Amino acid sequence: MKRRTVLRTGAGLVATVLGGCLGAPPRATGPRHAPDAPADQPRQTPARPDLTIGTFDFEATDDDALRVFGTVENRSGAQRTATVVVTVRVAGDDFERETSVTVAADGTAEWAVTFDVAYDEFTSNGDLNVTLA
């Protein structure tokens, strides 16, 4: 007899707990379609540059100088040439190196520059910036 009472009470408790969870599914809020652009100001998607810095990193050379290296990606269907500008700041002094790289259509090219800056000095108090000119 007690077993039936426990089962009825358990079933009622489960139904009560899950009652709120099993209600209506969530509905979307907000407008169903994006608003139209104003007639005098059409939307414009910003142009993506053909050339971009893919990756870059730094390491110590055999003589403990700073070496910065990376890749340039070409998103266009034509061969492009880029100038990679690498700026290093250590203890308030700026050092800059440039290198030119030619990248095949829809391809990637590697680049590297070395600075007359001690690797340990850079890692303890340095800043690095890589851009395309």
Side-chain angles (χ1 to χ4, degrees):
M1 192 70 156
K2 290 183 182 181
R3 184 173 159 186
R4 289 183 186 175
T5 306
V6 170
L7 288 176
R8 275 189 239 144
T9 305
L13 182 63
V14 169
T16 303
V17 170
L18 294 178
C21 297
L22 299 177
R27 296 186 204 159
T29 60
R32 294 190 184 267
H33 303 288
D36 294 330
D40 59 339
Q41 298 174 356
R43 289 189 184 122
Q44 295 180 1
T45 303
R48 277 181 25 176
D50 291 340
L51 295 174
T52 184
I53 298 292
T55 62
F56 68 90
D57 204 352
F58 58 90
E59 65 185 5
T61 62
D62 292 337
D63 58 344
D64 198 40
L66 175 65
R67 179 177 177 266
V68 182
F69 58 95
T71 61
V72 174
E73 296 176 359
N74 183 358
R75 300 176 187 164
S76 74
Q79 178 177 308
R80 302 270 192 239
T81 301
T83 300
V84 179
V85 180
V86 182
T87 307
V88 171
R89 176 172 271 221
V90 177
D93 294 327
D94 288 340
F95 304 91
E96 186 174 287
R97 296 282 189 274
E98 292 184 1
T99 187
S100 182
V101 65
T102 301
V103 189
D106 297 317
T108 302
E110 295 180 353
W111 56 268
V113 293
T114 303
F115 289 88
D116 296 326
V117 173
Y119 177 79
D120 293 334
E121 187 178 347
F122 170 76
T123 57
S124 66
N125 190 25
D127 188 31
L128 176 64
N129 188 27
V130 179
T131 58
L132 292 177

